Amino acid sequence: MTAPHRRQVTGFSNPLVKYLRSLRDKKHRRRERRFLAEGLRLLTDARECGVLPETLVMATDRDPHPLLTALEDAVHVAGGDIVEMEPAVLSKVTGKDNPQSVAGVFAEFDTRLATLDRAKAPIWLVAQALRDPGNLGTMLRTGDAVGAGGLILIDDCADPFSVEAVRASMGAIFTQAVATARWDEFIAWLRQGDGQLVAASLCDATDYRQAPYAAPCFLLVGNESQGLPQAYEDACDLRVTMPMLGRADSLNAAVAGAVLAYEALAALRPGS
Amino acid sequence: MTAPHRRQVTGFSNPLVKYLRSLRDKKHRRRERRFLAEGLRLLTDARECGVLPETLVMATDRDPHPLLTALEDAVHVAGGDIVEMEPAVLSKVTGKDNPQSVAGVFAEFDTRLATLDRAKAPIWLVAQALRDPGNLGTMLRTGDAVGAGGLILIDDCADPFSVEAVRASMGAIFTQAVATARWDEFIAWLRQGDGQLVAASLCDATDYRQAPYAAPCFLLVGNESQGLPQAYEDACDLRVTMPMLGRADSLNAAVAGAVLAYEALAALRPGS
């Protein structure tokens, strides 16, 4: 194997630097259909899932690491672009004072519902109008942990390809399928096959510990401040509720999804 | 009752404005032993828990609301300071472009372990080196939901009185006790009385669904990136683990705490 060729990029006004910075912005991500992921751990997760960055960016002051060598070799073999830049320039790209010393540009995944194979997993997470990218990433991470097939984003959600969501997913953006859809599209797709739609409800509903979960089980949580619209709850096969013993009437959306997902996992895989 | 007197505060350089802004900063909060909470909902939660702000700040362009009237009356009766300022000035205080139209300055609570009454609740949450204020607030919110007594913060954690933590707690900062302690102080206090210390462990440990939880049950989660130090796990009465079926080896700290807390709740209060 020939040694990887590393392009040197200097200066804040270099077009590549501008391009990379622009990917922090949803509008530009949408247009380019590309997203940024930062850090050796995240990029190694991607590589181990068979996903490589089109462009690998490394700081000139990076420490050597066998995983970084493996990553660079893999990108080189795949014909990707390998770029070195000064830490100060990379800071501009990542928008942080103490940037990771490595980042990558990835092609966005296909997020159409039609790409999902519902028979692939017993649990799927569904979020409606989830606005916080940290919550979104946390749901991806939880989905990975419970062996979910993926996360379906309904209505106007945070962008799963934002740097914050990718970071909070702790690599699960590369293992979990992600689909985006309007509610009516989702319901039409769901009802074309097997699938139990379960709402995390704030109303009087079935105790989440006693509910008859059935695979493939689609666990739906609502917007952080509004919860689920009533019409959406009405369309569900099952509405479940968790004890709320204090003053608050709801849980954090990612927490509600996780408590429900672990309960469904225990019910659907009693041995796990 | 006499009508509340509203002081008008104008200009960004007013000493009160500077004081309020300084409370966004941990160093100043520590010195003043005061913290900021924003929004009518949060301040109403506080009032209903019997906690009133020393200073109530309202935007001049606020919409009238019966809950705001109730809040203002209560602060007036208690002898608190009531201040009106232009939205642009309040923006400077809250650090946001679209600020809430009401904010309050509260005295920090006593966070010594000695203030906790462990017999008061079957579940207590304990976090070690929890760095993210959002996670901290989320744990307070979860604690409220499961009827926990409070959150004990071990070692160097995020500040529970930061605006971000207070906001993420969704009012639970006013219902949950908060204590801060070094690990050795905490263990010494814990062993003075009843209490089962349970670690959310990443190691081979008891299945969290099969564990013999006993009240008062102290559920310990570790730092976001490092997990718990081995010595801390060794000092626990029980180490429990959750299924991790995917690539990731851990859950978000607030998620792990919540899944564990709901499991302990089900075990300790079978009827709930």
Side-chain angles (χ1 to χ4, degrees), chain A residues 115-132:
Chain A
T115 63
L116 302 183
D117 173 10
R118 71 180 76 193
K120 211 187 71 176
I123 296 174
W124 296 80
L125 299 181
V126 189
Q128 180 258 336
L130 193 75
R131 296 290 158 78
D132 184 89

mmCIF file of all heavy atoms in Angstrom, chain A residues 115-132:
data_model
loop_
_atom_site.group_PDB
_atom_site.id
_atom_site.type_symbol
_atom_site.label_atom_id
_atom_site.label_comp_id
_atom_site.label_asym_id
_atom_site.label_seq_id
_atom_site.Cartn_x
_atom_site.Cartn_y
_atom_site.Cartn_z
ATOM 1 N N THR A 115 -36.560 2.838 3.456
ATOM 2 C CA THR A 115 -35.284 2.139 3.639
ATOM 3 C C THR A 115 -35.279 1.242 4.881
ATOM 4 O O THR A 115 -34.349 0.467 5.074
ATOM 5 C CB THR A 115 -34.119 3.152 3.782
ATOM 6 O OG1 THR A 115 -34.346 3.925 4.973
ATOM 7 C CG2 THR A 115 -34.045 4.076 2.592
ATOM 8 N N LEU A 116 -36.285 1.393 5.744
ATOM 9 C CA LEU A 116 -36.300 0.633 7.005
ATOM 10 C C LEU A 116 -36.848 -0.774 6.785
ATOM 11 O O LEU A 116 -37.832 -0.964 6.072
ATOM 12 C CB LEU A 116 -37.182 1.339 8.049
ATOM 13 C CG LEU A 116 -36.820 2.774 8.428
ATOM 14 C CD1 LEU A 116 -37.761 3.260 9.529
ATOM 15 C CD2 LEU A 116 -35.371 2.893 8.865
ATOM 16 N N ASP A 117 -36.215 -1.738 7.414
ATOM 17 C CA ASP A 117 -36.715 -3.108 7.411
ATOM 18 C C ASP A 117 -37.236 -3.414 8.810
ATOM 19 O O ASP A 117 -36.469 -3.745 9.724
ATOM 20 C CB ASP A 117 -35.590 -4.073 7.033
ATOM 21 C CG ASP A 117 -36.021 -5.531 7.173
ATOM 22 O OD1 ASP A 117 -37.238 -5.790 7.379
ATOM 23 O OD2 ASP A 117 -35.148 -6.399 7.089
ATOM 24 N N ARG A 118 -38.537 -3.286 8.991
ATOM 25 C CA ARG A 118 -39.115 -3.369 10.337
ATOM 26 C C ARG A 118 -38.927 -4.736 10.991
ATOM 27 O O ARG A 118 -39.021 -4.862 12.210
ATOM 28 C CB ARG A 118 -40.599 -2.995 10.311
ATOM 29 C CG ARG A 118 -41.481 -4.039 9.653
ATOM 30 C CD ARG A 118 -42.931 -3.600 9.652
ATOM 31 N NE ARG A 118 -43.168 -2.587 8.626
ATOM 32 C CZ ARG A 118 -44.273 -1.854 8.568
ATOM 33 N NH1 ARG A 118 -45.216 -1.977 9.494
ATOM 34 N NH2 ARG A 118 -44.438 -1.000 7.589
ATOM 35 N N ALA A 119 -38.694 -5.763 10.167
ATOM 36 C CA ALA A 119 -38.520 -7.103 10.730
ATOM 37 C C ALA A 119 -37.127 -7.274 11.338
ATOM 38 O O ALA A 119 -36.850 -8.271 12.002
ATOM 39 C CB ALA A 119 -38.748 -8.148 9.638
ATOM 40 N N LYS A 120 -36.278 -6.285 11.136
ATOM 41 C CA LYS A 120 -34.876 -6.391 11.550
ATOM 42 C C LYS A 120 -34.695 -6.330 13.062
ATOM 43 O O LYS A 120 -33.682 -6.805 13.587
ATOM 44 C CB LYS A 120 -34.092 -5.240 10.905
ATOM 45 C CG LYS A 120 -32.659 -5.525 10.576
ATOM 46 C CD LYS A 120 -31.955 -4.253 10.096
ATOM 47 C CE LYS A 120 -31.728 -3.237 11.216
ATOM 48 N NZ LYS A 120 -30.987 -2.043 10.818
ATOM 49 N N ALA A 121 -35.642 -5.690 13.757
ATOM 50 C CA ALA A 121 -35.456 -5.469 15.198
ATOM 51 C C ALA A 121 -36.813 -5.480 15.896
ATOM 52 O O ALA A 121 -37.827 -5.109 15.300
ATOM 53 C CB ALA A 121 -34.749 -4.135 15.434
ATOM 54 N N PRO A 122 -36.832 -5.882 17.168
ATOM 55 C CA PRO A 122 -38.098 -5.928 17.908
ATOM 56 C C PRO A 122 -38.570 -4.559 18.392
ATOM 57 O O PRO A 122 -39.741 -4.380 18.703
ATOM 58 C CB PRO A 122 -37.775 -6.832 19.105
ATOM 59 C CG PRO A 122 -36.302 -6.688 19.316
ATOM 60 C CD PRO A 122 -35.702 -6.432 17.955
ATOM 61 N N ILE A 123 -37.637 -3.604 18.469
ATOM 62 C CA ILE A 123 -37.960 -2.285 19.011
ATOM 63 C C ILE A 123 -37.504 -1.209 18.040
ATOM 64 O O ILE A 123 -36.408 -1.281 17.478
ATOM 65 C CB ILE A 123 -37.265 -2.065 20.383
ATOM 66 C CG1 ILE A 123 -37.808 -3.070 21.421
ATOM 67 C CG2 ILE A 123 -37.433 -0.635 20.873
ATOM 68 C CD1 ILE A 123 -37.082 -3.025 22.749
ATOM 69 N N TRP A 124 -38.360 -0.227 17.856
ATOM 70 C CA TRP A 124 -38.019 0.974 17.089
ATOM 71 C C TRP A 124 -38.422 2.179 17.929
ATOM 72 O O TRP A 124 -39.479 2.159 18.565
ATOM 73 C CB TRP A 124 -38.772 0.995 15.755
ATOM 74 C CG TRP A 124 -38.362 -0.137 14.860
ATOM 75 C CD1 TRP A 124 -38.794 -1.434 14.941
ATOM 76 C CD2 TRP A 124 -37.424 -0.093 13.789
ATOM 77 N NE1 TRP A 124 -38.173 -2.201 13.981
ATOM 78 C CE2 TRP A 124 -37.332 -1.402 13.248
ATOM 79 C CE3 TRP A 124 -36.660 0.930 13.220
ATOM 80 C CZ2 TRP A 124 -36.488 -1.703 12.176
ATOM 81 C CZ3 TRP A 124 -35.834 0.625 12.137
ATOM 82 C CH2 TRP A 124 -35.753 -0.680 11.634
ATOM 83 N N LEU A 125 -37.594 3.197 17.952
ATOM 84 C CA LEU A 125 -37.944 4.425 18.673
ATOM 85 C C LEU A 125 -38.506 5.443 17.685
ATOM 86 O O LEU A 125 -38.021 5.550 16.555
ATOM 87 C CB LEU A 125 -36.727 4.994 19.393
ATOM 88 C CG LEU A 125 -36.099 4.070 20.443
ATOM 89 C CD1 LEU A 125 -34.907 4.758 21.126
ATOM 90 C CD2 LEU A 125 -37.133 3.656 21.495
ATOM 91 N N VAL A 126 -39.525 6.143 18.128
ATOM 92 C CA VAL A 126 -40.171 7.157 17.297
ATOM 93 C C VAL A 126 -40.301 8.432 18.130
ATOM 94 O O VAL A 126 -40.808 8.377 19.265
ATOM 95 C CB VAL A 126 -41.571 6.704 16.834
ATOM 96 C CG1 VAL A 126 -42.121 7.673 15.786
ATOM 97 C CG2 VAL A 126 -41.555 5.275 16.298
ATOM 98 N N ALA A 127 -39.842 9.541 17.603
ATOM 99 C CA ALA A 127 -39.924 10.811 18.327
ATOM 100 C C ALA A 127 -40.694 11.816 17.495
ATOM 101 O O ALA A 127 -40.479 11.913 16.283
ATOM 102 C CB ALA A 127 -38.528 11.345 18.637
ATOM 103 N N GLN A 128 -41.571 12.550 18.169
ATOM 104 C CA GLN A 128 -42.376 13.550 17.462
ATOM 105 C C GLN A 128 -41.948 14.956 17.884
ATOM 106 O O GLN A 128 -41.917 15.255 19.089
ATOM 107 C CB GLN A 128 -43.860 13.333 17.784
ATOM 108 C CG GLN A 128 -44.799 14.317 17.098
ATOM 109 C CD GLN A 128 -45.292 15.413 18.022
ATOM 110 O OE1 GLN A 128 -45.318 15.232 19.217
ATOM 111 N NE2 GLN A 128 -45.664 16.550 17.455
ATOM 112 N N ALA A 129 -41.558 15.759 16.927
ATOM 113 C CA ALA A 129 -41.191 17.158 17.183
ATOM 114 C C ALA A 129 -40.167 17.302 18.300
ATOM 115 O O ALA A 129 -40.245 18.184 19.142
ATOM 116 C CB ALA A 129 -42.445 18.002 17.479
ATOM 117 N N LEU A 130 -39.192 16.418 18.293
ATOM 118 C CA LEU A 130 -38.120 16.456 19.290
ATOM 119 C C LEU A 130 -37.161 17.582 18.913
ATOM 120 O O LEU A 130 -36.523 17.525 17.872
ATOM 121 C CB LEU A 130 -37.395 15.103 19.298
ATOM 122 C CG LEU A 130 -36.449 14.832 20.454
ATOM 123 C CD1 LEU A 130 -37.237 14.514 21.725
ATOM 124 C CD2 LEU A 130 -35.533 13.653 20.121
ATOM 125 N N ARG A 131 -37.049 18.596 19.747
ATOM 126 C CA ARG A 131 -36.336 19.799 19.350
ATOM 127 C C ARG A 131 -34.879 19.845 19.791
ATOM 128 O O ARG A 131 -34.083 20.604 19.268
ATOM 129 C CB ARG A 131 -37.072 21.036 19.912
ATOM 130 C CG ARG A 131 -38.456 21.222 19.349
ATOM 131 C CD ARG A 131 -38.411 21.633 17.883
ATOM 132 N NE ARG A 131 -39.661 21.312 17.208
ATOM 133 C CZ ARG A 131 -40.795 22.015 17.302
ATOM 134 N NH1 ARG A 131 -40.837 23.089 18.053
ATOM 135 N NH2 ARG A 131 -41.865 21.640 16.653
ATOM 136 N N ASP A 132 -34.536 19.076 20.785
ATOM 137 C CA ASP A 132 -33.204 19.184 21.361
ATOM 138 C C ASP A 132 -32.261 18.155 20.726
ATOM 139 O O ASP A 132 -32.496 16.950 20.823
ATOM 140 C CB ASP A 132 -33.286 18.972 22.871
ATOM 141 C CG ASP A 132 -31.950 19.175 23.544
ATOM 142 O OD1 ASP A 132 -31.656 20.318 23.917
ATOM 143 O OD2 ASP A 132 -31.194 18.193 23.671
#
